[in-house]
Amino acid sequence: MTPSTTTSATGGQVLDLTKRLPPEALSRMEEAARNETRSSAAGLADARTGTVKLSSEVEGEPIVIEQLDDERRRGLKALIPASLTNPDVWRHRGEVLAHAAGYHAAHSPVYVWRIVKLSSIGVWAEASAAWGYLLATDYGADIDEAKREAAKKKGFADNGDVAQLRAERKQVGKARRRENLTVLSATGFTSYVAAVIGIAEVWGLAMAFPALIPVIGVMYACGARELRRRGDDYVVFEPAALDEDAPLTDAQLNRALRIAVPAFKDDDEVQMVGLVQKADMNAAQCVFKLPAHVTVSKLIEKREEIAGALQVDENWIDIKQDGHPGRCSFWIATSDPFDKVRRSPLLGQTTPLDLWHDGAPLAYNKRGETRRLTIRDIMLLIGGATRTGKGMALRNLICALALDPWINVRIVDGKPTGEHLVYAPIAATMFGRDRDRLDLLLDAYEAEIERREDLLASLGESKMTAKLLKQLSIEILIIDELATYTRKNVPGAAARLSRLEFLSSVGAALGVLLVVATQHPEVEVIPAGLRGNMTGRWAQRTADADGTNAILGKGATGRGMRAHDIPRDKRGLGWLDMDGIAEELARSFLIDEENAGEASEIIAVAVQLRRAAGRLPGQWDDPIEAYLVRMTGLSSAAGGPGGRGKPGHPGESAADATVLDVLLGAFGDEQDRLPLTDVRAAFAAWHPAQWAQTEDEDDATYEGRVGKELGALIDKQLEGTRVELEPRRWRVGEKRPRGYYRADVEAAVEAARKIRN
């Protein structure tokens, strides 16, 4: 059986598959045709013209399926402005209408009183006019004038002229009262009154009120006309768009600009590009064109005044140039856009990231847009007072870095809290509070920079490119609490700062990047040379303006970036400056490790991804860690043995770590006493399932449990050594904290080692 043929739109003969193939087969082929057009440039061109084609063969004959859209329907759709089909526009219009309805309903008592008042004026004006017309009172002025003129001439009134005028007035009034219009008006009025009274008698006053609406409307119009005659301005219905909580409208925007921007004249108006539309976080946004003599920069300068005119906080509006200087993108929120913390987009990520092209999602700005750090050539400085959110900023960054297997993450922790130990499984290098090891690490980085320069030169490349990622990979050194290593009273601080400045100046082009964080934003910690090379800066809440300028650069507070004014309850919120391009407020995404273990979940996924790519610590040749092992005999890959951030001998495993090892490792450099609070923090970071505080434990119960379990394990480990290790007290001012002495712990560790051997 030969399949039937039809003529295609192009005039050729094609097979009619509708008579050859079953419906399910035809459906599959149509789906294949759609997929083919989406995946090829030719297909995209066909899709734009409304035609979908698929070529195949049946019994040696070519088959072509053509799907032609309804051109007439597409043409009509093209005539409708895109803004009218945008659901966000209609959502905003719905908010405007809902607000107007609520506003006018709330003000209805005021409106009723104003309408009654205006109607009363209309009744009085019209009644007075009718009275004057029917009684010809306009003759009164003529009669008075005749009396005055006669008195001037003869000394007494000429009763003849007055009588004549009075007779004429009587005659005119009589004629007016007999006019058809007068009779009909009187009849209609009395009939209307009788009808209203009848309705009230039969159905009550409630039903009579609607019958009064026409006369109220007429009297209202008469009253308004009377006030216009007098030259009085009388507003009955107030514009809801100018209310404090009103959704954004063009009228509201024009009013605010006239108040706040001197260059915006009274007769100037913005030209809206499209309609105002709903945005995320209880906000609205629009684009408009400014008058020729006003630019967006002038609006940005008066941002505070515009916010005042719109009766919102300055941080609730955002003004940006959209194209040319006279075109503005305007965004306004009706509530604090940073009031609620957003969850990180990394949660639930199961595939590798490409941070070279896409960047690491760190935070969101007031518009709800994700701010990404492109891992190419940017250095990042994070600073702010203690407990302001620097740790969460680093958590977002490190978790994102972990999900890109071609980035080598090296973490140097200058604090004793152990909050970064969760990242140990993916860290190429990780240790803390060891200045000598940091100096050796910088030696290794300088050698790595020379190696990369030679390799790029041999390849004919001037800088790191995407095609070299699998050959070189990206190196990122993260130093948390820079002051631990660079304050003046720290040995070797000046030389260390000079080397960090060198790394930040030459490393970017070679794929060697630096990220530093500090809670001491001071010039001695972050000198101008180092800060100048940090092209990315993020200032969390600081103690004062000097701290803000130390992070963001001189004059930052003058440009409005007042990090010292950030509220204390907005942890993670700070001024983000990405290479001077985007200076804006941004807040870190939330990755809840303390209550939900979310960072651990992300790192677990990263471990699987890196293992599959052969990029876990120990799976690839690491010249930097090899240098550290050669110089010290200790490895800090994956946080060292046990992942505790303490370098150890290569080959040691987590099982080799004991409670005494963890206890000794919790001491910082030159720290001879360790309070129990730090002890509990160190053990919670080492093994959260056993040592972390649970949700149903209060502080006293938790402290008692840890003390009892830790004491039992220490006694077991020291069994047979004749050495005891108990916490002791010491005096610090008026306080007497309790904890362990380094000398006692070192003696216990040595005794336990001897008995094991």
Side-chain angles (χ1 to χ4, degrees):
M1 179 178 179
T2 303
S4 62
T5 61
T6 59
T7 302
S8 70
T10 58
Q13 296 292 322
V14 297
L15 292 174
D16 186 1
L17 288 181
T18 59
K19 298 183 179 180
R20 175 76 182 217
L21 299 176
E24 59 272 14
L26 181 60
S27 176
R28 287 195 298 270
M29 294 189 71
E30 288 177 346
E31 180 63 25
R34 284 190 287 270
N35 293 336
E36 181 179 329
T37 59
R38 294 191 190 102
S39 61
S40 65
L44 290 174
D46 288 341
R48 282 191 291 270
T49 61
T51 304
V52 178
K53 298 180 179 180
L54 174 65
S55 298
S56 183
E57 291 187 3
V58 174
E59 296 181 356
E61 300 182 40
I63 302 172
V64 179
I65 297 176
E66 292 191 352
Q67 177 181 328
L68 301 177
D69 287 345
D70 186 347
E71 294 293 338
R72 182 171 177 270
R73 179 184 61 81
R74 294 177 64 251
L76 291 175
K77 186 177 181 180
L79 296 177
I80 302 175
S83 60
L84 293 181
T85 61
N86 188 336
D88 290 334
V89 170
W90 289 105
R91 287 171 58 201
H92 180 75
R93 297 306 300 169
E95 288 187 357
V96 172
L97 293 175
H99 177 270
Y103 179 86
H104 291 310
H107 287 71
S108 56
V110 178
Y111 296 158
V112 169
W113 164 246
R114 291 176 179 174
I115 291 173
V116 170
K117 183 178 180 180
L118 201 59
S119 299
S120 301
I121 294 174
V123 170
W124 176 259
E126 294 305 309
S128 299
W131 179 267
Y133 179 78
L134 295 178
L135 298 181
T137 56
D138 49 332
Y139 278 88
D142 294 337
I143 293 173
D144 291 339
E145 183 66 23
K147 289 180 179 179
R148 286 193 294 272
E149 290 295 330
K152 289 179 181 178
K153 294 179 180 179
K154 302 179 180 179
F156 58 90
D158 187 351
N159 292 330
D161 292 341
V162 173
Q164 183 179 356
L165 288 171
R166 287 175 176 171
E168 185 177 345
R169 178 177 66 179
K170 183 177 181 180
Q171 183 180 0
V172 170
K174 185 177 181 180
R176 289 177 178 177
R177 289 190 292 273
R178 292 181 176 179
E179 289 177 352
N180 292 336
L181 181 60
T182 303
V183 174
L184 291 175
S185 298
T187 304
F189 178 74
T190 54
S191 300
Y192 181 80
V193 171
V196 171
I197 294 174
I199 292 173
E201 287 289 338
V202 176
W203 289 293
L205 294 176
M207 296 299 297
F209 178 76
L212 292 174
I213 292 178
V215 72
I216 293 175
V218 172
M219 292 301 102
Y220 171 85
C222 294
R225 183 181 62 181
E226 178 64 21
L227 290 181
R228 285 196 298 271
R229 288 174 180 171
R230 300 176 185 177
D232 296 338
D233 293 329
Y234 191 80
V235 176
V236 176
F237 299 99
E238 297 173 353
L242 301 184
D243 184 43
E244 179 175 350
D245 298 326
L248 183 66
T249 62
D250 53 349
Q252 189 182 39
L253 187 59
N254 277 297
R255 174 178 173 271
L257 295 180
R258 293 190 185 104
I259 294 174
V261 184
F264 209 86
K265 301 176 183 177
D266 291 342
D267 56 347
D268 285 338
E269 286 191 1
V270 299
Q271 181 182 350
M272 302 297 292
V273 179
L275 300 175
V276 183
Q277 64 183 36
K278 179 73 174 174
D280 290 339
M281 297 188 299
N282 299 321
Q285 60 186 8
C286 63
V287 177
F288 55 82
K289 294 180 180 178
L290 292 163
H293 56 279
V294 184
T295 60
V296 177
S297 60
K298 294 181 180 178
L299 268 61
I300 295 176
E301 292 175 1
K302 296 296 181 179
R303 182 176 57 190
E304 183 177 359
E305 289 80 359
I306 294 174
L310 293 171
Q311 300 178 340
V312 297
D313 187 274
E314 180 182 356
N315 293 325
W316 294 13
I317 65 171
D318 188 48
I319 304 172
K320 293 181 180 179
Q321 181 173 316
D322 185 43
H324 59 79
R327 182 181 169 115
C328 178
S329 173
F330 189 86
W331 179 95
I332 181 172
T334 57
S335 60
D336 187 354
F338 297 111
D339 188 44
K340 294 182 179 179
V341 182
R342 291 192 165 197
R343 314 294 292 184
S344 171
L346 298 176
L347 299 174
Q349 180 76 25
T350 58
T351 56
L353 297 180
D354 181 3
L355 301 187
W356 177 274
H357 294 99
D358 302 330
L362 297 183
Y364 60 96
N365 63 6
K366 63 180 66 176
R367 294 195 182 206
E369 300 166 336
T370 298
R371 281 290 162 254
R372 297 176 177 270
L373 181 71
T374 303
I375 310 300
R376 293 185 187 177
D377 55 1
I378 195 166
M379 308 284 180
L380 180 62
L381 166 63
I382 304 174
T386 182
R387 308 295 294 173
T388 57
K390 298 184 299 299
M392 186 61 70
L394 286 175
R395 183 176 296 172
N396 277 272
L397 175 61
I398 297 173
C399 286
L401 297 175
L403 291 169
D404 189 334
W406 301 105
I407 294 180
N408 304 330
V409 183
R410 307 188 192 273
I411 303 173
V412 179
D413 191 358
K415 304 192 304 298
T417 57
E419 66 176 304
H420 299 314
L421 295 182
V422 65
Y423 317 124
I426 58 89
T429 298
M430 184 176 183
F431 61 88
R433 303 185 305 283
D434 189 337
R435 293 189 294 269
D436 294 335
R437 194 170 187 85
L438 174 58
D439 292 337
L440 292 174
L441 179 59
L442 293 177
D443 289 340
Y445 262 116
E446 290 174 0
E448 177 68 10
I449 286 175
E450 293 181 3
R451 185 180 74 87
R452 290 182 176 230
E453 287 176 337
D454 294 340
L455 179 59
L456 290 177
S458 66
L459 296 174
E461 300 285 349
S462 60
K463 62 180 181 179
M464 183 75 175
T465 60
K467 65 182 180 181
L468 299 175
L469 282 177
K470 293 187 178 180
Q471 186 174 356
L472 283 178
S473 71
I474 296 291
E475 281 284 345
I476 292 190
L477 172 59
I478 300 172
I479 304 177
D480 189 9
E481 196 39 70
L482 185 65
T484 302
Y485 308 98
T486 60
R487 270 187 164 172
K488 286 184 178 180
N489 60 345
V490 176
R496 203 169 291 119
L497 275 172
S498 177
R499 301 178 73 183
L500 288 173
E501 183 178 339
F502 168 76
L503 175 62
S504 64
S505 63
V506 304
L510 304 172
V512 179
L513 308 180
L514 177 64
V515 176
V516 297
T518 181
Q519 65 183 19
H520 301 283
E522 305 162 1
V523 175
E524 68 174 48
V525 175
I526 316 169
L530 177 60
R531 186 188 64 236
N533 294 332
M534 307 304 288
T535 51
R537 304 165 188 172
W538 197 354
Q540 312 284 350
R541 183 177 59 82
T542 58
D544 50 36
D546 292 338
T548 300
N549 290 332
I551 301 169
L552 299 174
K554 186 177 181 180
T557 56
R559 299 196 303 273
M561 295 188 288
R562 298 185 292 272
H564 47 285
D565 290 340
I566 294 175
R568 291 180 178 271
D569 60 340
K570 294 294 188 297
R571 292 183 60 187
L573 178 62
W575 280 97
L576 183 61
D577 180 7
M578 289 294 188
D579 203 10
I581 298 175
E583 299 176 347
E584 59 183 346
L585 279 172
R587 191 172 191 182
S588 303
F589 289 113
L590 176 62
I591 302 177
D592 189 356
E593 172 63 15
E594 292 75 12
N595 300 314
E598 292 175 345
S600 298
E601 294 176 3
I602 296 175
I603 296 302
V605 173
V607 167
Q608 298 301 322
L609 296 175
R610 285 177 175 259
R611 179 178 289 115
R615 296 288 300 160
L616 271 179
Q619 287 185 311
W620 53 283
D621 294 332
D622 185 352
I624 292 179
E625 261 301 314
Y627 176 82
L628 294 177
V629 172
R630 186 168 65 252
M631 297 301 294
T632 65
L634 303 176
S635 171
S636 49
R644 295 175 288 111
K646 289 293 181 181
H649 296 287
E652 291 183 356
S653 65
D656 298 320
T658 66
V659 291
L660 288 175
D661 294 330
V662 176
L663 187 57
L664 182 59
F667 284 88
D669 296 339
E670 303 176 3
Q671 185 179 6
D672 63 343
R673 303 172 190 182
L674 187 69
L676 289 180
T677 53
D678 292 346
V679 172
R680 288 188 290 270
F683 276 87
W686 174 51
H687 202 305
Q690 180 179 0
W691 299 103
Q693 185 175 4
T694 60
E695 294 183 359
D696 57 348
E697 279 185 318
D698 57 31
D699 292 343
T701 304
Y702 171 61
E703 294 170 6
R705 176 176 67 83
V706 171
K708 183 177 179 180
E709 293 180 6
L710 180 58
L713 290 173
I714 290 175
D715 291 342
K716 182 177 180 180
Q717 190 171 347
L718 293 176
E719 186 176 356
T721 64
R722 296 183 180 180
V723 174
E724 294 183 355
L725 181 60
E726 296 287 344
R728 295 193 287 166
R729 291 190 181 275
W730 60 84
R731 184 176 295 278
V732 179
E734 297 181 356
K735 298 181 178 180
R736 296 191 63 199
R738 192 163 173 260
Y740 292 92
Y741 282 74
R742 178 191 284 271
D744 296 344
V745 177
E746 289 176 343
V749 170
E750 181 64 18
R753 184 186 65 79
K754 288 180 179 179
I755 200 170
R756 284 200 306 268
N757 296 336

